[in-house]
């Protein structure tokens, strides 16, 4: 079987699957259960400074978005950082690391934006023997209103400043956790690198209101008739996370900066996608909260089998393999032509493809009196909407027309240009001239 062992910024773990800083990593009991199940590491739920305790709501903390089959697509949470005493957390972290020396133990931190506060808590964490720290610059609710979390993560200058403090006052590897609630994710990543960060992790939760109770007219989750914005996570945020990870991985200013990928990782396939876009490890929260820690068995077995089938012997061989294929729209080859094809043996004559194409697309599918559906090549622009709405997997596929074939829609031969960026039909190439 493929070797899933990872060495991420000097932090070793038996596999790249870490539990993210969240309720599942709030205490020794949970973390030990996770390690027994097979998780490679954890990011301990965010610790704050010594002083008055953090007070969480005593009521619903989660809002939810479900699919038609009641499958959980996303969670919105209004929970704050740990409300357990700092000394208790530190004692448990030390014990767990002592008992499980082969697992990655990262401690998430969030304190006020002054050097002395960071210096003080770093000393406490170092004494536990933890492998590293993650700076929580992403939390979008509760703490951000106090000048922490995403209030820091949205200001690159603050990110750079605090990261410098952490590197100055600590020997531990430093991961900077980034907020997605920003216009350009590359800027905070660049700031973290300038500050000396060993890695970045992303994405933290997305600012959101998931639903409104139409009887009480209050956002959910509702606390005594009122609701507040919270942080959105789960499978629904994965596309946003993948894009942001890729943007950092392919940005010349941050190329080579290690990334821990977060956002909707539910299966081994999700993890593999993050790895190919540049992540060295992945962090999981919502999936564990939905299905329990046992999902790690499917994740590790599935990733190992996939790597065996592809001939990869280490996770490092998978990391970043898709990054060279991520480009900007203007560099896409407009001479590449595909057409939809319907497999009549698999078709169940539901008509979804026809309805979608006829009403909202290009009227490129015909329906016969006996409900046989066929693609009209002269109208098909290969948008693949029909593929996406078809309920039968592989019933509708996209077929690439070979070079030299005539496109029935345009009457022109299909081209195959290796360098589309300089082709005269490329508007960006013409603009450059």
């Amino acid at each position: 079987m493929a070797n899933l062992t990872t060495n991420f910024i000097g932090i070793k773990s038996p596999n790249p699957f870490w539990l993210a800083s969240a309720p599942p990593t709030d205490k020794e009991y949970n973390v030990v259960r996770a390690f027994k199940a097979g998780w490679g590491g954890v990011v301990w739920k965010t610790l704050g400074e010594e002083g008055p305790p953090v007070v969480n709501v005593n009521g619903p903390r989660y809002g939810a978005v479900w699919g038609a089959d009641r499958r959980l697509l996303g969670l919105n949470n209004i929970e704050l950082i740990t409300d357990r005493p700092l000394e208790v957390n530190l004692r448990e972290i030390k014990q767990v690391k002592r008992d499980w020396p082969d697992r990655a133990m990262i401690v998430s931190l969030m304190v006020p934006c002054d050097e002395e506060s960071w210096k003080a808590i770093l000393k406490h964490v170092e004494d536990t023997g933890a492998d590293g720290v993650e700076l929580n610059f992403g939390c979008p609710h509760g703490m951000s209103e106090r000048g922490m979390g995403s209030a820091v993560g949205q200001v690159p200058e603050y990110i750079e400043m605090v990261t410098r403090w952490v590197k100055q006052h600590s020997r531990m590897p430093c991961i900077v956790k980034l907020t997605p609630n920003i216009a350009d994710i590359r800027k905070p990543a660049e700031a973290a690198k300038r500050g000396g960060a060993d890695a970045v992790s992303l994405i933290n939760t997305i600012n959101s209101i998931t639903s409104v109770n139409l009887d009480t007219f209050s956002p959910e989750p509702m606390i005594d008739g009122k609701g507040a914005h919270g942080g959105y996570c789960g499978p629904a945020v994965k596309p946003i996370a993948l894009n942001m990870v890729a943007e950092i991985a392919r940005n010349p200013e941050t190329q080579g900066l290690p990334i821990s990928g977060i956002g909707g990782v539910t299966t081994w396939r999700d993890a593999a996608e993050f790895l190919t876009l540049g992540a060295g490890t992945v962090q999981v929260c919502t999936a564990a909260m939905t299905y329990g820690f046992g999902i790690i068995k499917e994740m590790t077995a599935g990733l190992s089998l996939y790597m065996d089938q592809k001939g990869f012997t280490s996770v490092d061989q998978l990391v970043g393999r898709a990054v060279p294929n991520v480009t900007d729209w203007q560099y896409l080859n407009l001479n590449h032509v595909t057409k939809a094809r319907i497999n009549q043996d698999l078709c169940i004559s539901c008509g979804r493809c026809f309805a979608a194409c006829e009403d909202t697309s290009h009227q490129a599918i015909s329906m016969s009196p006996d409900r046989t559906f066929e693609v009209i090549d002269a109208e098909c622009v290969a948008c693949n909407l029909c593929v996406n709405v078809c309920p039968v997997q592989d019933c509708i596929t996209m077929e690439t027309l070979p070079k030299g074939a005539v496109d029935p829609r345009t009457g022109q031969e299909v081209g195959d240009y290796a360098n589309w960026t300089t082709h005269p039909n490329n508007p960006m190439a013409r603009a450059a001239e």
Side-chain angles (χ1 to χ4, degrees):
M1 296 179 66
N3 183 5
L4 298 186
T5 302
T6 59
N7 187 336
F8 184 76
I9 61 173
I11 302 172
K12 296 180 180 180
S13 58
N15 61 64
F17 296 96
W18 296 357
L19 284 172
S21 170
T25 63
D26 192 29
K27 54 181 177 288
E28 180 180 4
Y29 179 85
N30 301 66
V31 173
V32 169
R33 283 180 60 84
F35 285 165
K36 287 180 178 179
W39 290 86
V42 301
V43 183
W44 201 276
K45 187 173 180 181
T46 306
L47 308 184
E49 64 179 345
E50 294 181 282
V54 170
V55 179
N56 272 293
V57 296
N58 290 307
R61 299 182 183 183
Y62 304 108
V65 174
W66 297 278
D69 58 356
R70 187 68 180 183
R71 185 168 67 93
L72 187 67
L73 301 180
L75 277 180
N76 166 294
N77 88 88
I78 59 171
E79 185 165 309
L80 303 181
I81 65 175
T82 184
D83 52 13
R84 303 168 71 236
L86 178 61
E87 63 272 18
V88 172
N89 278 295
L90 294 170
R91 182 174 66 247
E92 292 182 359
I93 291 168
K94 185 174 184 177
Q95 185 63 51
V96 173
K97 183 57 188 176
R98 182 181 299 155
D99 294 341
W100 298 85
D102 67 323
R103 307 303 170 95
M105 173 63 76
I106 316 300
V107 179
S108 177
L109 300 176
M110 182 195 296
V111 297
C113 207
D114 65 81
E115 187 172 0
E116 287 304 312
S117 293
W118 283 98
K119 181 179 179 180
I121 199 166
L122 286 167
K123 176 64 170 62
H124 290 311
V125 175
E126 280 195 347
D127 291 343
T128 67
D131 297 303
V133 292
E134 183 180 80
L135 314 187
N136 185 344
F137 295 155
C139 184
H141 59 275
M143 306 308 292
S144 58
E145 290 90 330
R146 310 177 197 191
M148 294 179 276
S150 62
V152 178
Q154 291 168 338
V155 184
E157 293 80 5
Y158 291 173
I159 293 175
E160 181 178 353
M161 177 180 68
V162 176
T163 305
R164 287 188 189 279
W165 292 341
V166 172
K167 293 303 296 180
Q168 178 183 347
H169 296 297
S170 172
R171 60 167 177 78
M172 296 178 290
C174 168
I175 304 170
V176 173
K177 191 172 187 179
L178 303 179
T179 176
N181 302 300
I182 194 165
D184 187 346
I185 195 63
R186 296 173 297 180
K187 301 305 180 185
E190 291 170 10
K193 185 177 181 180
R194 289 194 302 269
D198 298 284
V200 293
S201 59
L202 68 156
I203 57 174
N204 208 314
T205 53
I206 299 171
N207 216 350
S208 63
I209 292 176
T210 50
S211 62
V212 175
N213 186 308
L214 293 180
D215 293 318
T216 63
F217 305 106
S218 301
E220 300 281 6
M222 179 176 60
I223 306 296
D224 194 24
K226 302 289 184 181
H229 65 89
Y232 193 50
C233 58
V237 311
K238 175 190 159 191
I240 299 168
L242 287 176
N243 175 64
M244 290 188 170
V245 166
E247 286 298 285
I248 293 172
R250 72 189 187 101
N251 178 18
E253 299 300 319
T254 51
Q255 276 184 345
L257 180 65
I259 300 169
S260 186
I262 315 169
V265 176
T266 306
T267 68
W268 70 265
R269 184 178 294 274
D270 298 329
E273 291 175 9
F274 273 93
L275 294 171
T276 64
L277 287 176
T281 65
V282 293
Q283 297 184 32
V284 180
C285 172
T286 306
M289 295 177 71
T290 306
Y291 303 109
F293 290 148
I295 60 167
I296 188 61
K297 294 178 176 61
E298 182 275 338
M299 288 178 168
T300 52
L303 182 61
S304 181
L305 177 60
Y306 166 77
M307 290 173 58
D308 284 343
Q309 292 172 340
K310 290 293 184 182
F312 299 136
T313 57
S314 71
V315 173
D316 288 342
Q317 294 173 348
L318 185 59
V319 174
R321 292 186 74 93
V323 175
N325 294 325
V326 181
T327 188
D328 295 324
W329 191 95
Q330 64 262 30
Y331 303 127
L332 298 177
N333 184 359
L334 301 190
N335 290 288
H336 177 83
V337 179
T338 58
K339 298 293 180 182
R341 294 289 179 259
I342 301 174
N343 185 329
Q344 299 300 334
D345 292 333
L346 295 178
C347 181
I348 60 174
S349 300
C350 68
R352 281 194 191 178
C353 61
F354 174 78
C357 190
E358 189 73 12
D359 290 350
T360 69
S361 197
H362 293 85
Q363 297 76 53
I365 295 179
S366 66
M367 179 176 66
S368 69
D370 65 348
R371 292 185 68 81
T372 297
F373 300 93
E374 295 183 349
V375 176
I376 306 170
D377 282 358
E379 302 297 335
C380 180
V381 302
C383 70
N384 87 324
L385 175 62
C386 55
V387 176
N388 291 320
V389 301
C390 179
V392 180
Q393 186 173 355
D394 297 329
C395 176
I396 307 179
T397 55
M398 304 304 295
E399 177 185 287
T400 300
L401 299 189
K403 179 183 178 181
V406 175
D407 182 350
R409 190 175 71 88
T410 64
Q412 298 177 346
E413 286 190 359
V414 175
D416 182 16
Y417 299 93
N419 190 1
W420 171 244
T421 60
T422 61
H423 190 271
N425 286 350
N426 184 347
M428 298 303 293
R430 294 200 303 270
E433 294 173 359

